[in-house]
Amino acid sequence: MGRPREFDIDQALERAMRVFWARGYEGSSLAELTSAMGITKTSMYAAFGNKEQLFRKALQRYGAGPAAYATRALEEPTARAVASAFLRGAVRTTTPPGGPSGCLTVQGALASSDETQAVHDLLVDWRNDAGVRLEERFRRAVNEGDLPRDADPRRLARFIMTMGFGIAVQAANGLGPAELDEIVDTALLGWPA
Amino acid sequence: MGRPREFDIDQALERAMRVFWARGYEGSSLAELTSAMGITKTSMYAAFGNKEQLFRKALQRYGAGPAAYATRALEEPTARAVASAFLRGAVRTTTPPGGPSGCLTVQGALASSDETQAVHDLLVDWRNDAGVRLEERFRRAVNEGDLPRDADPRRLARFIMTMGFGIAVQAANGLGPAELDEIVDTALLGWPA
DNA sequence: CCACAACCGTACCACTCGGTACAGATCCAC
DNA sequence: GTGGATCTGTACCGAGTGGTACGGTTGTGG
């Protein structure tokens, strides 16, 4: 039906994701986005709707790609292994050799002007969801006796999430994976049991 | 001498600081800034130079005001007390009852477009300086026998800074002081000695 | 009292922003 | 091969951006 699109929609989305990752939502202009995607504004609007929807799809891709470590970590056998895998995944993702430093979901829109509020809220939910999944995993660990009975899963999950966010900022600050791994080691010193 | 200015420059700067705090550098338009400051663009340019210099002065004010806890914490007698005071100060500053949540130096310009690069770099330096001061304090603690001889001051400082940044993100995410204090407790469980 | 210096407000500047109208190009189904 | 559907590029839109020119206003020093 009709003229087929001349660009690879997947590759274009990947490139848009990287721009958002490096520049944040507000800092990414349509000009830079479409230039990186190798298409014109018109094609972008036809394929993705508008800037906000492009960001939403880029965020989905981020969750399924670079941030998939967060979901994979939940499958580790013990709570400690989950925490460790989560944080080390965060380290690797926020310091990719050839890509932008930091975390898309943190740099995307931490502060919010009126018009970016929707995106801001979207990211708040995204980050909170990640924390909830971690909390549920730790709750399971308590039930399974993997964590002490008096351990507080919510508290532990919030602690790990806090470390993850902090790692994202440190990565944006210029710290490399080796230094961040040391920080993770330090953070896990007080881990229960 | 000429006509004296009709507004309180200190109060105007305070209000500008709060706008930057809530909106970030890019998200703060001159219209919103000057409206909050209660002056016109012309007066703002006459008094502060331009948007970037206004931000620099707002950042100075932030360091001397809301973020002064970071310097005060260094005066605590033990390394543990320093770490605790630092993080609890971060909690209180990032969750002010009537003010914007989060930390100006984190939300200000985490991601950087080309034109905000200067501000971005300024904030990177600011954050790194805070880490260095903490590191020096912990090094002193090792020398004084307050921390174990095999403790790594830089590593500990980076860990505490990471927690501070994470707390800022969690505050922007909606967590309150009580929940953040719990996280601080959890973080300090593994503190040496 | 008056000249000069500084401040204030309006009106404006070039530019960029996200977004769109429209015409031409390119394909598939019939 | 032709109609209709879709994609592409250009040219454009109104609104908002940071920043400024300029004339009117308000003060102080001589």
Side-chain angles (χ1 to χ4, degrees), chain A residues 53-91:
Chain A
Q53 291 185 3
L54 175 63
F55 181 82
R56 296 184 116 91
K57 289 185 179 134
L59 180 62
Q60 266 184 263
R61 190 180 179 84
Y62 184 76
Y69 72 87
T71 306
R72 278 198 309 267
L74 301 177
E75 299 167 5
E76 295 289 331
T78 69
R80 175 180 213 96
V82 169
S84 177
F86 185 93
L87 293 181
R88 297 197 191 279
V91 169

Side-chain angles (χ1 to χ4, degrees), chain A residues 113-181:
Chain A
S113 64
D114 280 343
E115 291 158 16
T116 62
Q117 185 88 39
V119 171
H120 173 263
D121 294 348
L122 173 70
L123 289 178
V124 167
D125 289 344
W126 201 95
R127 294 190 295 255
N128 283 340
D129 283 351
V132 168
R133 290 205 306 272
L134 210 50
E135 177 185 340
E136 287 168 354
R137 177 65 185 82
F138 288 157
R139 179 162 293 126
R140 199 188 93 195
V142 172
N143 289 338
E144 291 175 348
D146 172 29
L147 277 175
R149 192 163 303 271
D150 65 342
D152 183 341
R154 174 180 298 176
R155 201 162 150 169
L156 292 173
R158 281 175 176 159
F159 168 61
I160 294 298
M161 289 302 296
T162 304
M163 281 301 300
F165 297 148
I167 286 169
V169 177
Q170 291 281 34
N173 242 32
L175 256 53
E179 296 145 327
L180 293 175
D181 273 339

Side-chain angles (χ1 to χ4, degrees), chain B residues 37-107:
Chain B
M37 297 165 87
I39 62 178
T40 63
K41 266 188 284 189
T42 318
S43 298
M44 182 259 137
Y45 273 87
F48 298 99
N50 60 18
K51 187 184 174 184
E52 183 176 331
Q53 292 185 4
L54 176 62
F55 182 82
R56 296 184 115 90
K57 289 184 178 133
L59 180 62
Q60 266 183 262
R61 188 179 180 86
Y62 184 76
Y69 71 87
T71 306
R72 278 198 310 268
L74 301 177
E75 300 165 5
E76 296 289 332
T78 67
R80 174 181 214 95
V82 170
S84 177
F86 185 92
L87 292 181
R88 296 197 192 280
V91 168
R92 254 153 241 153
T93 292
T94 56
T95 57
S101 296
C103 171
L104 204 179
T105 72
V106 173
Q107 334 207 9

